[in-house]
Amino acid sequence: MNQMLQEAEVQTPEAEEVQSPAATTPATPEPPPAPTHPRFAKPQRVAFVQSSWHRDVVEECRIAFLAEMEARHVTNIDVFEVPGSFEIPLHAQILAKTRRYTAIVAAGLVVDGGIYRHEFVADTVIKALMDVQLRTEVPVFSAVLTPQQFHETEVHYDFFRKHFAIKGVEVAEACASTLHSLERLRGQVAAGIVG
C-alpha cells in the first residue's frame, strides 16, 4: 500500500509538467455586457439648445448627449443653436410652450471675459431655466457650465472638451431617467393611483 502511494506521488509532478501553458494562464476576463436601458411607453422628443460661444468645446456635450440618448432609445432630438448662453432660456421657453418636446436640454460655456462678472450671467441663465421648467412642466436640463478659470490655451480647451463630453453623458442619463420617472408618474395620475 505504501508503494502505491509513492507511485501516485511520483506521477503527480509528471502530470503537472505535462499541462499546457494555456491551461495554467488565467483567462482574460470578458468585458461586462453593455447596459440595457428600459424603453419608453410613448415616443420621446427632446430639444437640445446649444450656445455657439466656444462652439468647439460645447459641441462635445452635444455629440456625447446624442450618442447616449440613442443608447437609451431616444432618437427624436432637435438641435437648436443660439449666440450665447444668455439666449438659451427664451428659446427653451418658446420650445416648451409648443408642447412638441418632452424635455429640453441646454448646453453652454460661460467664461470670465474680464469685462463683467460671468457668475451673474450663469446664475441668471440657470434661474431662468428653472422658471421655464416650473411654468411649463416640461423638464429642462442644464449643461451650462461656468468654470472658475478658463484661459484661451490649448490645455484648457482640451480639458473642457473632455469635461463637456462627460457632461453630455451625464445630462443624457438625467434626462432619460427623469423622462421615465415622469412617464410612470403621469400614468399613475391618469389611473387615479396618485393625486
Side-chain angles (χ1 to χ4, degrees):
M1 188 150 121
N2 271 346
Q3 191 176 18
M4 287 176 29
L5 288 174
Q6 286 177 352
E7 286 177 14
E9 289 173 8
V10 172
Q11 289 177 357
T12 305
E14 288 175 15
E16 287 177 9
E17 289 175 18
V18 176
Q19 289 181 351
S20 69
T24 59
T25 305
T28 309
E30 291 190 30
T36 56
H37 301 291
R39 295 195 176 271
F40 290 92
K42 295 180 180 178
Q44 304 294 311
R45 185 179 199 103
V46 176
F48 188 92
V49 184
Q50 169 186 334
S51 75
S52 60
W53 187 254
H54 290 97
R55 179 185 290 119
D56 57 331
V57 175
V58 178
E59 74 182 358
E60 295 298 327
C61 182
R62 176 182 42 82
I63 292 165
F65 174 80
L66 293 173
E68 185 65 24
M69 288 301 276
E70 184 175 350
R72 292 172 179 273
H73 316 292
V74 179
T75 55
N76 293 327
I77 300 173
D78 296 333
V79 177
F80 300 89
E81 192 169 69
V82 296
S85 295
F86 197 73
E87 291 78 24
I88 292 173
L90 178 59
H91 279 70
Q93 180 169 289
I94 291 169
L95 291 168
K97 285 183 176 182
T98 68
R99 294 293 179 212
R100 294 183 68 207
Y101 300 99
T102 53
I104 298 167
V105 178
L109 179 63
V110 180
V111 299
D112 186 354
I115 297 170
Y116 57 86
R117 300 283 299 182
H118 63 292
E119 296 94 346
F120 295 141
V121 173
D123 188 47
T124 300
V125 170
I126 298 305
K127 283 181 180 177
L129 291 174
M130 180 59 76
D131 288 345
V132 168
Q133 172 173 256
L134 294 175
R135 266 195 311 274
T136 64
E137 295 186 5
V138 174
V140 179
F141 300 89
S142 176
V144 177
L145 305 182
T146 310
Q148 286 184 335
Q149 293 184 11
F150 180 83
H151 301 291
E152 306 270 341
T153 64
E154 199 53 42
V155 171
H156 273 208
Y157 274 105
D158 286 344
F159 174 82
F160 284 104
R161 281 186 195 104
K162 291 174 187 168
H163 189 65
F164 263 92
I166 292 166
K167 289 299 170 190
V169 172
E170 290 176 351
V171 78
E173 291 171 349
C175 181
S177 294
T178 301
L179 288 174
H180 276 293
S181 177
L182 288 173
E183 191 174 65
R184 280 191 305 276
L185 179 60
R186 288 180 176 136
Q188 292 171 347
V189 168
I193 299 170
V194 175

